[in-house]
Each structure stands twice: as structure tokens, then as C-alpha cells.
Amino acid sequence: MMLESLPQNSNSNDPSAQSAPAQLLTTAQWRKDNLYVALFLGPSLLILSVFVFWPMIKTLYLSLFLTDNLGHASEFVGISNYVNLFKNPAYLSSLGATLIYVVAVSILTIVLGMLLAVTAQQRLQGIRFFRTIFSSTMGISVSVAAIFWLFAFNPSVGVFAQISQALHLPEINWLADPHFALLAIVMTTVWMNLGFTFLILFGALQQLPASLFEAAEIAGVGKTKQFFKISLPLISPTLFFVLVVTLIDAFKSFGLIDLMTVGGPNNATNLLVYRVYQDAFLNGNYGLASTESVVLTVIIAVITLIQFKLLGKRVNY
Amino acid sequence: MTITLEQLSKTYEGSHQPVLKDISVQINEGEFFVIVGPSGCGKSTLLRMIAGLTGISSGKLMINGEVANQMPPKDRALSMVFQSYALFPFMNVAENVGFGLKSRKLPKDEINHRVNEALAMVNLSELRDRKPKELSGGQRQRVALARAIASEAKICLMDEPLSNLDAQLRAKMRIELKQLQRNLGLTVIYVTHDQVEAMTMADRVMVLNDQKVQQVDTPENLYQHPHNSFVAQFFGTPQINLLTANVTQCELIIDSALHLPITSSRINNSKVLIGIRPADVRIRVGSQGANARVAAVSYLGDQLVITADLNDSQTIRIVAGSQMQVAPDDLIKIVGIKCFDVFDINSKELISIQKGDVNDARVAAAEF
């Protein structure tokens, strides 16, 4: 059928074929084309509508209502959900904690990932083994990582406790201490992120042509300068990609918190997504949770937009 | 600035097979020195060893009389032009040329002055603000050259710098490169696999094959007095004919079709390899006294390249004037050979060179 339609298509582009029958044909063709478009786009549109668009609209809708505990809108309250939200000190502290968490995770992930990638590039004995190890956290699920780190942070048998004992440092109860719980979650998240980030950055570094560095070597440019003046600018598109992905991912962190701290202690790790979950499914306050969802979406969108505007210009070619 | 190589060898780690064996040569100041050889012969490795990018396994490298085996690349006072040009895509032309000058902590005026001068020399002053991706292949090549010029190093190493350009541009750049080298008094060490590049640009050429130096000589000598059959075969288009000949008391006989006189008492094997340049063969078309049959004819405008079968299995390439009327399957008679080289059949080393015409009577005569 497609083959049949091809000559007709080219007819319609030909100015000499603007006679009435040709026009009729093109109209029929036009209908046929639309059918194909509908057939191809239909399934994905349907799935996206059910699982993305409709929930988005519903969330936006619910954020303007008070709801009963089954999630039905009961009373229209306009933007007062939003106003109340930003008056709530607990929410504001969640917002603050989230921002600290996101910035810390993004910076640490990229800096450490970069360090590992540069290390893995060196010609050292057995470096292949380490390359595998460095990227191995990619294959570890959140639940396994959470259990592993719960052990590590355990105040009596955990590796951190033993280190601080051996060094006669004050003991820290990582996950129960409001000052350290967020840091513990940051460390765990960074550890989880490193595999992927390392692999992407390492791949980018390996792609760079050796002759550029040889030219620099002959010109007398030192290794450190080579890294900052040649490697970094050349992998800036990759860095930008990793930054955006890590940032968005960090905003959406849920699993580790649910498994390790359940938002505590004292709400220290009650990040935005976790608060949405608590308000909706534990407290049954769907209207408020919807409001929080919308705010979170806007925050992520705005920050990503700013990133593209600011960094997009500095990313080379 | 002279560069001396003394028995330089290279074996890569984990391998027993050396890539280069006992390379010795002295490269003089202001010389255009070309290293040529087939791919995989180690010519780029040799250049990288001189640059300091690849370690030296044994032997001595001396730059200006000073042993430089362990010297870091930046202290060797040389510049290098890469096949890929090695331009930084995020820097414009001027920044690319000035790269490296900054890290030498030269004053800004000096850098500007050098960059401008180098760009003017390669006719790129107008494009100084462009990025490499906005330049053509030839222009990128010039930027790479300008960077070498701006460094003011007296030695410039070039690794197949023209091989990414099209044929016409390459011919033009060959002349420009040579002029530039002469004007600046540079010592250039130039690696190529292209015999034409080697012949047209070099003051002297080093031919590498099988990890070893085959011959170091001027282009004329390489063509006229090749030390072995490899060198003879490497230079000249169409390639020299290398034919096996039986040695009798007084003659060298190729396929019973060609009888050549023995010219040297040093020929004492029963078989030898005869090298005959295609242009040195004179033929006559016609079946009378013919000793070869035409297999193919290539028309090149001013000349014909004829491939002909001799009596048995050997073929010979012949260059003839393009006015000659000849077609495949025609019978021809080889009536004269201007000069030929005799090589040892085993070692491929030169035994003797016969100059001067071998005329009709002596070339002669077995019936085809």
C-alpha cells in the first residue's frame, strides 16, 4: 500500500499535475496518511494519556481542593493549599533539606565520578579490574544498597562505628542523629550514582583523540592543565548531560529514604518526594500532596531550564 | 640543530618482535628529511620516538649532540604536525596557534606577534576568529602548520600531514611546505607512505621496511642506485619490473624471451632478479620476431602503460608514447632496454647496474 501511494505523492508535489483528478487523489491520500499517523501514534498516546497526562491534570485539579481520605475532591479552596504550604515551617524545612541534598549529591557525584574516570584512564597494573569495580554500583538495586549501608551505619557493628572507635573519635549514630542522617543519605545516594556517572564520564574521556594530548605534551602543557584546558571543555556536553540527569534524579529520591530513615529523624531527611508520599498515602491528605507535587514539578522544570540557559551556552559544540 | 640516531630500537612491552631495529642516521640542520615506507614499517613509531611520545628500547637519540633518550617532549625544542591536525575544536584559529605559547609564559605581545606572523605566513590572517569546524581540510592543515611555526622550534616533525587532503591540494601543499621549510631554515623530519611526496620534497629520504633501514639517500640516488629490490620497487610509477632471469655463461635469460648480456663478474648465482624501469623498455609492434604479447593497455594522456606477457609466466610493464597503436593480444617485440639493475635473488641486494643501451641484436631473439 505504501508503495502504491508513492507515485501519487510525488504527483501532488508536481505543479503541472494540479488538475481536478489529481486534487481528488491528494485528498484521498491525505485521509490515508492521517490514518497511518493515527495508527502509529494512537497506542503511545493512549498509554501516555492514562498514565501521564490524566494523572498530571488530576493532580493539578486536586491541588485546588480539599479532599476526603479516599482522594475525592470535596471542597474547592483555590490557591489556599499553595499559600498554606509556603507558610508551613515543616514544608519549608523539607524544601531546604531537599536543596542541600540535591546540590550535595550532584556536586559529589560528578566530582567523585570524574576522579574515578581519570583514575581509570591511567595505565596502571590491574586497572581493568578497577574499571569493573567502579561501575559495579550500576547493577545494585536500591533495596540491596539500603541494607548494605544500614549495616555500615549501624552504631554498634557498622564499619563507620568501628573506624571511629579505632581512631578514638566521638561516636556518631548516623541514621538517628538529625545532624548526620541527611549526610548519610547523601553518601549512600552518591555511592549509588557513581557507577553510572563513572561509566559515562570514562567513556567520554576514552573517546578523546590522543593526538590532542600529544600536541599539548610537546607544547609543554602540564597534565593538570591538560585536564582543565582540553579534557573538561571537550567532555562538557557529557558533563552537562550527567549534571541534568543527576539533579533531576536527586529531586526524585525516594527509595533510599523510605528504606533507611523513613523521613526521620525529626524530619531531617523528609525530602519533597517523601513528603508527598506521606501526605497522600499515610495522612490521606491528597489535596495537599497534589499541591506539593505540582510545586516539585515546577521547581525541577525551572532549575532544568536555568541549567540549559546558563550552561548550554558554555557547552562546546 | 642536528639529530643523531644511533642504533635506535623499539620493542613494545609484552612483545618479542621488535618494531624497529638498529636505526642509525644523522639528520643535518636545515634538512628536509623524509622517512618513507609501507604501512606498519614503524616510521610513525620512529617519529614518535624522536618526539618523545614513545619510549626508546635501546640505542641513543641525540639532539644537538646531547643525549635525549629520557628528555621530556617539551624540552626537545621541536614542534609536531599531526595527521589529524590535533586542533582544539573549542578554540578559534588564533587560540589554536597560540596554544602552548601561553603555557611557556611568554608575554602577551610576543604571543600576539608570533600568532599574527605565523597566520600571515600560511595566509590565514582573515580566518583567525573561526573555529576549526568552520574550516576546510586544507585550512585546518594550515592552522596546524601555523602552530608549528609560532612555536619557533627549529625542528619540526610531521606525521603524514597531507594524507587527509585531496590530490590537487596535496600537490599544492607540497610546494608550499617545501618553500616554508626553506624560508624558515627548519629541520623537518617528515613521515609519509607516499613515494611521490618523498621524492618531491626531500633533501634526503630514509626508506624503512621490515623494521630496518633499507637506504638513506637523495631522491636521485634512490631512483638511480637503489641498494635493493625493495627500494627499486618503492620508487617510480609505474613500478619497476622485477623479473627472474637464468644466468648462463654469457647471458641473463628472462623467460627465454629476453637475452641480456652479463655485465659484471659479480654475477655468479644461477638465478638473479632483474630490475627494469618501464620507461627504459623500447618496443616495436608486430609479429615479426615478437617476444611478448600485450595483456592490457592503460592510456594516461601523454603515455601508454602496456602490460605484456613474456613467454612463460612473467609479465612486464612498459611505458610507450601515446601515439603508439597497440591493443590487447597484439604481439610486440622488445627491441631495446636502456638500463637495468641486477639483484641477488635471495638477499635482494643490488649486484650491478647496467647503464647504456642494450641494442636489438643483444636483446633478441627467441621466437615467441
Side-chain angles (χ1 to χ4, degrees):
Chain A
M1 277 167 80
M2 286 305 278
L3 279 177
E4 256 180 357
S5 69
L6 278 175
Q8 293 163 4
N9 237 346
S10 58
N11 260 351
S12 67
N13 289 335
D14 186 355
S16 66
Q18 289 296 322
S19 58
Q23 292 232 325
L24 273 176
L25 270 177
T26 46
T27 314
Q29 184 61 42
W30 188 74
R31 284 206 185 112
K32 211 166 159 192
D33 283 351
N34 274 1
L35 184 70
Y36 282 127
V37 170
L39 269 175
F40 278 113
L41 288 185
S44 56
L45 268 179
L46 189 73
I47 292 170
L48 281 175
S49 301
V50 171
F51 293 106
V52 179
F53 300 145
W54 176 242
M56 265 170 70
I57 294 165
K58 183 84 179 182
T59 304
L60 209 58
Y61 171 79
L62 284 179
S63 73
L64 305 171
F65 285 82
L66 288 180
T67 55
D68 60 22
N69 50 14
L70 288 174
H72 298 129
S74 57
E75 190 191 337
F76 180 76
V77 291
I79 59 161
S80 77
N81 274 342
Y82 291 89
V83 174
N84 291 337
L85 195 63
F86 284 102
K87 281 185 184 160
N88 181 357
Y91 180 77
L92 291 180
S93 89
S94 262
L95 191 66
T98 307
L99 290 181
I100 293 171
Y101 170 80
V102 166
V103 171
V105 164
S106 303
I107 292 177
L108 285 174
T109 300
I110 285 178
V111 171
L112 291 178
M114 200 71 214
L115 267 173
L116 289 186
V118 171
T119 311
Q121 264 212 316
Q122 310 306 313
R123 283 193 198 145
L124 301 171
Q125 193 119 44
I127 197 68
R128 274 164 188 275
F129 171 72
F130 283 98
R131 284 178 193 167
T132 316
I133 293 293
F134 290 166
S135 55
S136 62
T137 61
M138 257 195 358
I140 292 176
S141 74
V142 177
S143 46
V144 173
I147 290 168
F148 170 73
W149 282 88
L150 276 174
F151 269 114
F153 287 128
N154 187 295
S156 47
V157 298
V159 62
F160 291 106
Q162 290 184 5
I163 291 173
S164 52
Q165 263 172 15
L167 297 177
H168 301 292
L169 295 169
E171 278 176 34
I172 300 166
N173 190 346
W174 287 89
L175 295 171
D177 187 332
H179 298 290
F180 289 100
L182 191 63
L183 180 60
I185 297 289
V186 166
M187 283 161 68
T188 312
T189 313
V190 169
W191 182 82
M192 284 287 290
N193 284 351
L194 270 184
F196 173 75
T197 310
F198 158 75
L199 209 65
I200 299 279
L201 293 178
F202 177 63
L205 285 178
Q206 290 287 84
Q207 294 273 312
L208 302 181
S211 62
L212 291 180
F213 299 93
E214 290 170 354
E217 197 76 31
I218 288 171
V221 179
K223 290 277 184 210
T224 321
K225 224 171 177 184
Q226 282 180 27
F227 175 75
F228 285 106
K229 295 261 169 177
I230 304 172
S231 303
L232 268 193
L234 281 173
I235 64 164
S236 54
T238 314
L239 270 179
F240 180 56
F241 163 75
V242 169
L243 181 65
V244 172
V245 169
T246 312
L247 211 93
I248 293 178
D249 236 34
F251 266 111
K252 302 196 306 188
S253 282
F254 175 82
L256 282 178
I257 293 164
D258 193 41
L259 289 161
M260 291 177 75
T261 62
V262 207
N266 197 14
N267 282 333
T269 61
N270 199 357
L271 306 186
L272 291 183
V273 175
Y274 201 71
R275 179 169 283 275
V276 172
Y277 161 76
Q278 278 188 324
D279 280 334
F281 303 110
L282 299 181
N283 304 335
N285 197 343
Y286 292 95
L288 183 62
S290 300
T291 312
E292 288 168 352
S293 266
V294 172
V295 172
L296 178 58
T297 309
V298 170
I299 291 175
I300 294 179
V302 167
I303 290 187
T304 308
L305 212 71
I306 292 173
Q307 272 186 308
F308 269 93
K309 286 264 178 218
L310 280 184
L311 293 174
K313 278 184 203 152
R314 297 198 193 161
V315 171
N316 295 299
Y317 70 110
Chain B
M1 289 298 238
T2 59
I3 296 177
T4 313
L5 316 183
E6 277 176 26
Q7 308 218 291
L8 225 52
S9 296
K10 176 72 190 174
T11 311
Y12 279 107
E13 258 176 72
S15 153
H16 300 293
Q17 195 68 34
V19 228
L20 289 167
K21 236 173 5 198
D22 297 336
I23 310 292
S24 298
V25 71
Q26 173 161 346
I27 298 158
N28 303 319
E29 183 164 340
E31 191 171 24
F32 201 115
F33 190 84
V34 173
I35 303 171
V36 74
S39 62
C41 71
K43 53 192 189 299
S44 284
T45 306
L46 183 58
L47 194 75
R48 293 168 59 86
M49 283 159 83
I50 297 172
L53 298 171
T54 300
I56 295 167
S57 300
S58 68
K60 227 187 325 177
L61 166 70
M62 303 213 285
I63 296 175
N64 248 3
E66 201 182 329
V67 178
N69 285 29
Q70 300 295 331
M71 202 186 267
K74 65 179 165 75
D75 298 334
R76 298 188 181 199
L78 44 78
S79 60
M80 186 157 175
V81 179
F82 293 84
Q83 182 178 1
S84 62
Y85 314 142
L87 301 181
F88 301 103
F90 48 87
M91 295 182 188
N92 65 28
V93 167
E95 287 165 343
N96 260 298
V97 174
F99 184 81
L101 298 184
K102 263 189 210 157
S103 59
R104 297 213 162 150
K105 307 228 162 63
L106 291 174
K108 228 175 178 173
D109 296 343
E110 172 74 8
I111 295 177
N112 277 339
H113 176 70
R114 284 207 204 176
V115 169
N116 290 339
E117 211 161 60
L119 283 177
M121 227 172 272
V122 297
N123 298 323
L124 275 185
S125 302
E126 262 108 79
L127 304 179
R128 56 177 299 133
D129 295 324
R130 295 257 188 106
K131 291 271 168 72
K133 66 173 175 192
E134 297 163 328
L135 301 177
S136 69
Q139 289 166 339
R140 283 180 210 178
Q141 168 64 60
R142 283 161 199 269
V143 178
L145 273 180
R147 186 160 68 192
I149 295 168
S151 78
E152 292 191 356
K154 280 290 158 204
I155 303 169
C156 184
L157 310 181
M158 301 193 182
D159 190 359
E160 309 224 10
L162 303 183
S163 57
N164 286 350
L165 305 179
D166 63 65
Q168 274 188 338
L169 199 54
R170 212 180 305 158
K172 190 170 155 229
M173 286 303 289
R174 279 207 289 265
I175 298 167
E176 283 186 25
L177 257 181
K178 181 80 190 173
Q179 279 174 342
L180 209 62
Q181 178 260 342
R182 213 176 291 143
N183 294 343
L184 293 171
L186 287 176
T187 307
V188 169
I189 305 179
Y190 187 106
V191 161
T192 181
H193 63 270
D194 183 349
Q195 50 117 345
V196 179
E197 251 171 47
M199 294 290 257
T200 49
M201 296 166 85
D203 295 320
R204 272 191 314 153
V205 180
M206 175 197 270
V207 186
L208 279 181
N209 190 39
D210 280 344
Q211 307 109 41
K212 288 191 296 270
V213 177
Q214 303 293 323
Q215 190 169 353
V216 180
D217 228 323
T218 59
E220 295 80 18
N221 278 341
L222 287 172
Y223 190 80
Q224 306 285 353
H225 303 281
H227 284 183
N228 55 41
S229 64
F230 176 82
V231 175
Q233 228 173 355
F234 203 85
F235 296 97
T237 12
Q239 252 182 12
I240 195 168
N241 295 293
L242 284 177
L243 305 167
T244 316
N246 291 314
V247 182
T248 66
Q249 205 100 76
C250 53
E251 277 180 326
L252 306 168
I253 304 170
I254 302 168
D255 270 14
S256 71
L258 274 175
H259 293 237
L260 301 170
I262 288 185
T263 51
S264 161
S265 56
R266 288 161 58 204
I267 302 175
N268 42 27
N269 296 24
S270 62
K271 279 192 176 189
V272 289
L273 215 52
I274 307 265
I276 304 169
R277 297 271 172 205
D280 291 340
V281 183
R282 276 185 290 119
I283 56 167
R284 195 180 64 213
V285 183
S287 55
Q288 202 198 1
N291 51 10
R293 185 189 295 276
V294 176
V297 181
S298 314
Y299 177 72
L300 295 181
D302 58 339
Q303 62 187 36
L304 295 178
V305 179
I306 301 166
T307 310
D309 296 324
L310 298 176
N311 269 5
D312 297 328
S313 56
Q314 306 200 65
T315 58
I316 185 168
R317 282 176 298 275
I318 302 154
V319 168
S322 60
Q323 73 289 343
M324 184 173 274
Q325 296 294 318
V326 62
D329 283 335
D330 284 355
L331 292 176
I332 54 173
K333 179 174 166 60
I334 295 168
V335 293
I337 286 172
K338 219 157 122 197
C339 64
F340 62 90
D341 309 329
V342 183
F343 301 100
D344 187 284
I345 191 119
N346 298 314
S347 70
K348 315 282 185 201
E349 297 292 325
L350 185 76
I351 300 173
S352 78
I353 296 176
Q354 164 67 32
K355 293 278 168 202
D357 241 355
V358 180
N359 62 28
D360 185 50
R362 284 157 77 194
V363 167
E367 288 298 315
F368 192 68

